[in-house]
Amino acid sequence: MSQNKERFWSRIFRSAAIFNFAMGLPIFLFPLWSNQVAYLTQNIDVANTYRFWRDFGFTVVVIGIGYYIVSLDITKNRGIVWLGIIGKLYDVSILSYRFIIGIAGAFVLVPVIVDAIYVLLFILFLRRKYQDNSGEFRFS
């Protein structure tokens, strides 16, 4: 793979890490505020809602660390990319559904759109052929 392509993909994963940090840290550090920004309704079990919301934020940050790890060497850690696709597809589906049924505000469409773009980029990344040390091409 050319150095330009490696740099391109490295930057994509680094930007995904930054996006996850930008979304996950406010949720983790400020669960009450971030939940009120995202959702239009109050859940009856407020204490557990914010506790689980904070856990979600932590998970988003950890996955961001995974994207950063991939950005350091894009020839390794493909499993993290697959987990990212699965997680982002779930996020796109759930947040879109919650917006459609009226319990989430329009703000949630920002991560929906960005995550959908990353899903497409990650799929393109995984579909690329990489040459291994034996000279043969392999799919990852």
Side-chain angles (χ1 to χ4, degrees):
M1 180 185 314
S2 76
Q3 285 225 299
N4 285 339
K5 288 181 183 178
E6 283 186 22
R7 251 182 297 196
F8 170 79
W9 287 113
S10 180
R11 288 179 181 150
I12 291 296
F13 286 104
R14 196 161 290 139
S15 71
I18 292 167
F19 178 72
N20 271 46
F21 298 151
M23 292 288 108
L25 283 172
I27 293 170
F28 178 67
L29 297 173
F30 309 106
L32 177 64
W33 170 79
S34 60
N35 190 274
Q36 290 173 344
V37 169
Y39 290 98
L40 304 174
T41 59
Q42 287 291 332
N43 192 318
I44 294 171
D45 188 359
V46 174
N48 278 328
T49 297
Y50 297 131
R51 184 177 305 119
F52 292 126
W53 184 242
R54 176 175 272 161
D55 294 348
F56 170 71
F58 179 77
T59 303
V60 170
V61 170
V62 169
I63 293 171
I65 293 168
Y67 295 146
Y68 180 74
I69 291 168
V70 172
S71 80
L72 297 175
D73 184 353
I74 62 165
T75 65
K76 297 181 180 178
N77 302 304
R78 299 264 195 256
I80 295 171
V81 181
W82 279 109
L83 290 173
I85 290 170
I86 294 164
K88 287 185 179 300
L89 282 175
Y90 178 80
D91 196 45
V92 166
S93 302
I94 294 301
L95 289 177
S96 297
Y97 173 73
R98 290 177 180 164
F99 173 74
I100 290 167
I101 65 171
I103 64 171
F107 179 76
V108 302
L109 296 178
V110 172
V112 163
I113 292 166
V114 174
D115 280 345
I117 291 167
Y118 278 119
V119 165
L120 294 173
L121 287 168
F122 291 176
I123 290 170
L124 288 173
F125 172 78
L126 289 173
R127 289 194 64 203
R128 299 188 59 82
K129 292 180 182 179
Y130 292 96
Q131 193 171 16
D132 66 16
N133 291 337
S134 69
E136 295 179 12
F137 284 99
R138 63 179 169 83
F139 288 99
S140 297

